[in-house]
PDB file of all heavy atoms in Angstrom:
ATOM      1  N   GLU I 588       0.139   9.932   6.541  1.00  0.00           N
ATOM      2  CA  GLU I 588       1.191   9.270   7.314  1.00  0.00           C
ATOM      3  C   GLU I 588       2.493  10.066   7.277  1.00  0.00           C
ATOM      4  O   GLU I 588       3.345   9.906   8.145  1.00  0.00           O
ATOM      5  CB  GLU I 588       1.440   7.862   6.764  1.00  0.00           C
ATOM      6  CG  GLU I 588       0.281   6.912   6.987  1.00  0.00           C
ATOM      7  CD  GLU I 588       0.585   5.521   6.483  1.00  0.00           C
ATOM      8  OE1 GLU I 588       1.771   5.112   6.525  1.00  0.00           O
ATOM      9  OE2 GLU I 588      -0.345   4.836   6.028  1.00  0.00           O
ATOM     10  N   LEU I 589       2.616  10.924   6.241  1.00  0.00           N
ATOM     11  CA  LEU I 589       3.836  11.715   6.092  1.00  0.00           C
ATOM     12  C   LEU I 589       3.476  13.128   5.644  1.00  0.00           C
ATOM     13  O   LEU I 589       2.666  13.317   4.727  1.00  0.00           O
ATOM     14  CB  LEU I 589       4.759  11.069   5.055  1.00  0.00           C
ATOM     15  CG  LEU I 589       6.038  11.829   4.680  1.00  0.00           C
ATOM     16  CD1 LEU I 589       6.955  11.986   5.887  1.00  0.00           C
ATOM     17  CD2 LEU I 589       6.770  11.110   3.539  1.00  0.00           C
ATOM     18  N   VAL I 590       4.080  14.121   6.301  1.00  0.00           N
ATOM     19  CA  VAL I 590       3.897  15.530   5.926  1.00  0.00           C
ATOM     20  C   VAL I 590       5.243  16.081   5.487  1.00  0.00           C
ATOM     21  O   VAL I 590       6.245  15.954   6.204  1.00  0.00           O
ATOM     22  CB  VAL I 590       3.359  16.371   7.103  1.00  0.00           C
ATOM     23  CG1 VAL I 590       3.362  17.856   6.746  1.00  0.00           C
ATOM     24  CG2 VAL I 590       1.951  15.926   7.481  1.00  0.00           C
ATOM     25  N   LEU I 591       5.280  16.679   4.298  1.00  0.00           N
ATOM     26  CA  LEU I 591       6.467  17.370   3.802  1.00  0.00           C
ATOM     27  C   LEU I 591       6.168  18.854   3.836  1.00  0.00           C
ATOM     28  O   LEU I 591       5.231  19.318   3.182  1.00  0.00           O
ATOM     29  CB  LEU I 591       6.798  16.917   2.381  1.00  0.00           C
ATOM     30  CG  LEU I 591       6.999  15.403   2.186  1.00  0.00           C
ATOM     31  CD1 LEU I 591       7.337  15.104   0.731  1.00  0.00           C
ATOM     32  CD2 LEU I 591       8.083  14.874   3.113  1.00  0.00           C
ATOM     33  N   ILE I 592       6.959  19.611   4.585  1.00  0.00           N
ATOM     34  CA  ILE I 592       6.627  21.016   4.805  1.00  0.00           C
ATOM     35  C   ILE I 592       7.824  21.928   4.568  1.00  0.00           C
ATOM     36  O   ILE I 592       8.950  21.626   4.965  1.00  0.00           O
ATOM     37  CB  ILE I 592       6.066  21.212   6.240  1.00  0.00           C
ATOM     38  CG1 ILE I 592       5.632  22.666   6.469  1.00  0.00           C
ATOM     39  CG2 ILE I 592       7.071  20.761   7.302  1.00  0.00           C
ATOM     40  CD1 ILE I 592       4.813  22.847   7.742  1.00  0.00           C
ATOM     41  N   ASP I 593       7.568  23.038   3.884  1.00  0.00           N
ATOM     42  CA  ASP I 593       8.589  24.061   3.675  1.00  0.00           C
ATOM     43  C   ASP I 593       8.786  24.836   4.976  1.00  0.00           C
ATOM     44  O   ASP I 593       7.876  24.907   5.815  1.00  0.00           O
ATOM     45  CB  ASP I 593       8.146  24.995   2.540  1.00  0.00           C
ATOM     46  CG  ASP I 593       9.249  25.949   2.107  1.00  0.00           C
ATOM     47  OD1 ASP I 593      10.416  25.737   2.487  1.00  0.00           O
ATOM     48  OD2 ASP I 593       8.941  26.908   1.373  1.00  0.00           O
ATOM     49  N   PHE I 594       9.964  25.404   5.157  1.00  0.00           N
ATOM     50  CA  PHE I 594      10.241  26.198   6.353  1.00  0.00           C
ATOM     51  C   PHE I 594       9.895  27.665   6.131  1.00  0.00           C
ATOM     52  O   PHE I 594       9.184  28.282   6.914  1.00  0.00           O
ATOM     53  CB  PHE I 594      11.715  26.050   6.738  1.00  0.00           C
ATOM     54  CG  PHE I 594      12.153  26.967   7.848  1.00  0.00           C
ATOM     55  CD1 PHE I 594      11.409  27.087   9.004  1.00  0.00           C
ATOM     56  CD2 PHE I 594      13.329  27.698   7.734  1.00  0.00           C
ATOM     57  CE1 PHE I 594      11.805  27.931  10.033  1.00  0.00           C
ATOM     58  CE2 PHE I 594      13.745  28.542   8.756  1.00  0.00           C
ATOM     59  CZ  PHE I 594      12.983  28.660   9.901  1.00  0.00           C
ATOM     60  N   ASN I 595      10.390  28.229   5.024  1.00  0.00           N
ATOM     61  CA  ASN I 595      10.186  29.650   4.759  1.00  0.00           C
ATOM     62  C   ASN I 595       8.892  29.859   3.980  1.00  0.00           C
ATOM     63  O   ASN I 595       8.851  29.695   2.770  1.00  0.00           O
ATOM     64  CB  ASN I 595      11.367  30.204   3.955  1.00  0.00           C
ATOM     65  CG  ASN I 595      12.665  30.082   4.719  1.00  0.00           C
ATOM     66  OD1 ASN I 595      12.901  30.808   5.664  1.00  0.00           O
ATOM     67  ND2 ASN I 595      13.499  29.140   4.313  1.00  0.00           N
ATOM     68  N   MET I 596       7.826  30.218   4.696  1.00  0.00           N
ATOM     69  CA  MET I 596       6.533  30.483   4.076  1.00  0.00           C
ATOM     70  C   MET I 596       5.939  31.753   4.655  1.00  0.00           C
ATOM     71  O   MET I 596       6.184  32.085   5.818  1.00  0.00           O
ATOM     72  CB  MET I 596       5.569  29.315   4.315  1.00  0.00           C
ATOM     73  CG  MET I 596       5.959  28.014   3.636  1.00  0.00           C
ATOM     74  SD  MET I 596       4.695  26.729   3.837  1.00  0.00           S
ATOM     75  CE  MET I 596       4.845  26.386   5.611  1.00  0.00           C
ATOM     76  N   PRO I 597       5.164  32.495   3.853  1.00  0.00           N
ATOM     77  CA  PRO I 597       4.499  33.689   4.379  1.00  0.00           C
ATOM     78  C   PRO I 597       3.406  33.293   5.363  1.00  0.00           C
ATOM     79  O   PRO I 597       2.999  32.130   5.423  1.00  0.00           O
ATOM     80  CB  PRO I 597       3.910  34.339   3.117  1.00  0.00           C
ATOM     81  CG  PRO I 597       3.735  33.207   2.154  1.00  0.00           C
ATOM     82  CD  PRO I 597       4.886  32.283   2.426  1.00  0.00           C
ATOM     83  N   GLU I 598       2.941  34.243   6.139  1.00  0.00           N
ATOM     84  CA  GLU I 598       1.878  34.046   7.127  1.00  0.00           C
ATOM     85  C   GLU I 598       2.374  33.228   8.315  1.00  0.00           C
ATOM     86  O   GLU I 598       2.610  33.760   9.380  1.00  0.00           O
ATOM     87  CB  GLU I 598       0.636  33.379   6.495  1.00  0.00           C
ATOM     88  CG  GLU I 598       0.095  34.078   5.257  1.00  0.00           C
ATOM     89  CD  GLU I 598      -0.320  35.509   5.506  1.00  0.00           C
ATOM     90  OE1 GLU I 598      -0.542  35.893   6.672  1.00  0.00           O
ATOM     91  OE2 GLU I 598      -0.432  36.265   4.515  1.00  0.00           O
ATOM     92  N   ILE I 599       2.553  31.923   8.161  1.00  0.00           N
ATOM     93  CA  ILE I 599       3.004  31.058   9.256  1.00  0.00           C
ATOM     94  C   ILE I 599       4.158  30.208   8.748  1.00  0.00           C
ATOM     95  O   ILE I 599       4.009  29.495   7.746  1.00  0.00           O
ATOM     96  CB  ILE I 599       1.866  30.135   9.753  1.00  0.00           C
ATOM     97  CG1 ILE I 599       0.647  30.952  10.171  1.00  0.00           C
ATOM     98  CG2 ILE I 599       2.343  29.275  10.924  1.00  0.00           C
ATOM     99  CD1 ILE I 599      -0.546  30.107  10.563  1.00  0.00           C
ATOM    100  N   ASN I 600       5.313  30.267   9.410  1.00  0.00           N
ATOM    101  CA  ASN I 600       6.439  29.473   8.915  1.00  0.00           C
ATOM    102  C   ASN I 600       6.288  28.000   9.304  1.00  0.00           C
ATOM    103  O   ASN I 600       5.455  27.642  10.139  1.00  0.00           O
ATOM    104  CB  ASN I 600       7.784  30.049   9.390  1.00  0.00           C
ATOM    105  CG  ASN I 600       8.010  29.900  10.886  1.00  0.00           C
ATOM    106  OD1 ASN I 600       7.662  28.892  11.487  1.00  0.00           O
ATOM    107  ND2 ASN I 600       8.607  30.905  11.491  1.00  0.00           N
TER     108      ASN I 600
END
Side-chain angles (χ1 to χ4, degrees):
E588 292 182 32
L589 175 63
V590 172
L591 304 181
I592 183 168
D593 189 14
F594 172 48
N595 298 287
M596 294 185 291
E598 307 301 341
I599 304 175
N600 69 39

